[in-house]
């Protein structure tokens, strides 16, 4: 009998065609959006501006939840806005999104998240059983993104756009800005430092004489430098409107604290106060976004209230694809005033 029972298996639902949450924020009248659209339409280029302004793009990460802001950068790329920015600041996975955007590969990276950044050996319990960290970000950045799914760092160096990767200094327990990156090795090391989750992703990264951990210990939305250097900020956040910061589980939190105290007790306090500091910063940015006299001017793009919230350790491909879609739609609506239909299609990259 030629008929195979396997054809009766259910196909997976289209993760980009779930119940469509309202995307209500059309931000085209915001002065920051008007400025970036003016630059795009005039063909303004980094290093050759004539408008007297300096625009920074600020990208929140959050582990695998960084796929939300990756979807936003894919929309920015597709709409032709990449070259309007003078600086791009990223924290943790937001640093990855920043680098790939400047390289012209934002859509490329967005497609890799749901596949363990392109290789399933990125995370494995076997690592822990063998005395290694759970997440092998070194392998992703220095192997997968070099030979298998390459990040073209030469494009970053030639772009004229400043890449800023933030991280937490182990000795001072302060946020630090990693910029003026001079070559491929420095770009990759800065990205690695920005996303070095304590304990879960291994020992701190040494860069320019400092030991560094993940940026989100000190500041998840990397605005500390951009506020001083830019006149206008476009901020990409990964949590939906109305969603507060949720800390680590008690077990993971305690294990992380035991690890951090070996380096600096102040890091433990950073970890324990992270939720309160995050919520305060997000509230402050929301107020600035509504204040026409704010300096710098701030525009915030977030997924809509009610959009699914994924964790920093999410690994379900359908959930991550849907989260990328929500981020993409939120940015597109904010910048273009329309809600696009989003679909996964095979796409060639050169």
């Amino acid at each position: 009998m030629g008929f195979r029972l396997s054809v009766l298996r259910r196909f997976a639902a289209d993760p980009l065609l779930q119940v469509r949450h309202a995307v209500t924020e059309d931000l085209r009248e915001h002065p920051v959006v008007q400025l970036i659209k003016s630059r795009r339409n005039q063909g303004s280029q980094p290093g050759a501006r004539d408008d007297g302004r300096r625009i920074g793009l600020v990208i929140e990460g959050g582990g695998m939840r960084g796929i939300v802001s990756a979807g936003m950068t894919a929309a920015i790329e597709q709409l032709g806005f990449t070259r309007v920015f003078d600086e791009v600041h990223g924290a943790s996975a937001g640093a990855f999104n920043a680098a790939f955007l400047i390289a012209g590969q934002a859509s490329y990276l967005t497609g890799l998240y749901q596949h363990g950044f392109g290789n399933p050996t990125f995370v494995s319990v076997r690592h822990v059983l063998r005395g290694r960290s759970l997440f092998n970000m070194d392998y992703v950045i220095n192997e997968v993104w070099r030979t298998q799914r390459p990040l073209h760092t030469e494009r970053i160096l030639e772009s004229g756009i400043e890449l800023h990767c933030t991280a937490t200094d182990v000795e001072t327990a302060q946020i630090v800005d990693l910029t003026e990156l001079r070559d491929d090795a420095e770009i990759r090391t800065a990205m690695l430092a920005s996303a070095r989750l304590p304990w879960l992703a291994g020992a701190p990264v040494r860069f320019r004489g400092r030991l560094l951990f993940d940026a989100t210990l000190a500041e998840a939305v990397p605005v500390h430098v951009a506020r001083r250097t830019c006149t206008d900020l476009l901020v990409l956040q990964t949590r939906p409107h109305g969603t507060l910061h949720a800390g680590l589980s008690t077990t993971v939190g305690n294990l992380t604290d035991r690890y951090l105290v070996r380096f600096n007790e102040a890091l433990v306090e950073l970890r324990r106060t992270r939720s309160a500091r995050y919520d305060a910063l997000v509230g402050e940015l929301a107020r600035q976004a509504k204040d026409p006299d704010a300096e710098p001017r701030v525009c915030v793009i977030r997924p809509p209230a009610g959009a699914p919230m994924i964790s920093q350790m999410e690994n379900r491909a359908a959930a991550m694809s849907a989260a990328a879609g929500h981020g993409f739609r939120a940015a597109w609506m904010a910048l273009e005033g329309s809600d696009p239909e989003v679909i996964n299609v095979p796409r060639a990259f050169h």
Side-chain angles (χ1 to χ4, degrees):
M1 180 175 173
F3 181 77
R4 297 179 59 189
L5 292 178
S6 61
V7 302
L8 298 179
R9 295 174 184 163
R10 295 181 63 185
F11 286 95
D14 182 348
L16 299 176
L17 194 62
Q18 304 295 335
V19 176
R20 294 176 67 83
H21 297 273
V23 180
T24 57
E25 286 201 302
D26 177 350
L27 299 176
R28 287 177 295 169
E29 297 304 313
H30 195 286
V32 174
V33 176
Q34 290 184 339
L35 177 59
I36 69 173
K37 296 195 84 164
S38 174
R39 281 190 173 184
R40 181 195 62 181
N41 296 341
Q42 294 174 11
S44 175
Q45 295 297 311
R49 314 288 192 198
D50 58 9
D51 54 26
R53 311 294 292 183
R54 188 168 182 83
I55 307 178
L57 179 65
V58 174
I59 309 176
E60 180 183 359
M64 303 310 286
R65 195 176 57 256
I67 195 171
V68 176
S69 52
M72 294 175 179
T73 61
I76 286 170
E77 180 178 82
Q78 189 170 330
L79 289 169
F81 286 121
T82 305
R83 303 287 294 169
V84 309
F85 300 106
D86 302 294
E87 306 175 7
V88 183
H89 298 250
S92 191
F96 307 157
N97 300 343
F100 276 82
L101 174 66
I102 297 173
Q105 298 176 274
S107 297
Y108 183 77
L109 177 63
T110 303
L112 299 183
Y113 266 85
Q114 53 264 52
H115 307 294
F117 291 104
N119 193 299
T121 61
F122 160 57
V123 57
S124 174
V125 176
R126 293 191 186 94
H127 298 166
V128 180
L129 296 177
R130 294 170 181 170
R132 302 198 297 266
S133 57
L134 179 64
F135 297 103
N136 191 347
M137 206 66 244
D138 301 68
Y139 178 71
V140 171
I141 291 176
N142 291 308
E143 173 57 31
V144 177
W145 291 351
R146 190 187 298 278
T147 63
Q148 300 174 30
R149 296 292 192 180
L151 164 64
H152 291 284
T153 55
E154 74 280 0
R155 298 179 188 172
I156 300 172
L157 297 168
E158 296 166 357
S159 70
I161 303 171
E162 292 181 8
L163 171 61
H164 295 251
C165 301
T166 57
T168 302
D169 187 288
V170 170
E171 182 178 353
T172 66
Q174 298 290 322
I175 193 74
V176 293
D177 179 45
L178 310 179
T179 192
E180 297 182 359
L181 306 171
R182 297 169 296 214
D183 53 32
D184 174 86
E186 286 202 342
I187 291 172
R188 293 179 187 275
T189 305
M191 292 165 58
L192 189 63
S194 188
R196 182 68 98 196
L197 290 169
W199 175 63
L200 291 169
V205 175
R206 183 172 291 280
F207 184 62
R208 294 177 178 171
R210 287 173 159 154
L211 286 178
L212 303 168
F213 273 132
D214 183 272
T216 62
L217 265 178
E219 186 180 64
V221 185
V223 296
H224 75 291
V225 168
R227 280 172 158 173
R228 299 196 303 267
T229 59
C230 297
T231 61
D232 301 81
L233 298 179
L234 182 65
V235 181
L236 309 182
Q237 294 180 216
T238 60
R239 289 176 171 83
H241 280 280
T243 303
L244 298 177
H245 188 282
L248 299 174
S249 69
T250 301
T251 299
V252 175
N254 288 338
L255 289 171
T256 302
D257 289 348
R258 290 178 188 175
Y259 183 79
L260 289 174
V261 77
R262 293 160 46 189
F263 297 95
N264 184 350
E265 289 185 4
L267 295 173
V268 176
E269 183 64 15
L270 271 189
R271 204 281 304 170
R272 292 177 177 174
T273 61
R274 184 167 57 174
S275 293
R277 288 185 290 106
Y278 176 90
D279 292 339
L281 176 59
V282 167
E284 183 181 347
L285 291 172
R287 291 189 292 274
Q288 285 183 302
K290 295 179 180 179
D291 181 0
D293 298 320
E295 293 183 5
R297 300 187 300 194
V298 175
C299 181
V300 176
I301 300 177
R302 300 178 69 177
M309 171 74 175
I310 64 171
S311 77
Q312 64 179 0
M313 298 185 189
E314 180 62 72
N315 64 357
R316 297 170 297 163
M320 296 185 70
S321 181
H326 285 297
F328 187 99
R329 290 174 57 217
W332 193 286
M333 170 60 84
L335 302 174
E336 285 294 293
S338 61
D339 188 7
E341 182 179 359
V342 184
I343 189 169
N344 281 329
V345 295
R347 182 175 174 186
F349 292 89
H350 297 284

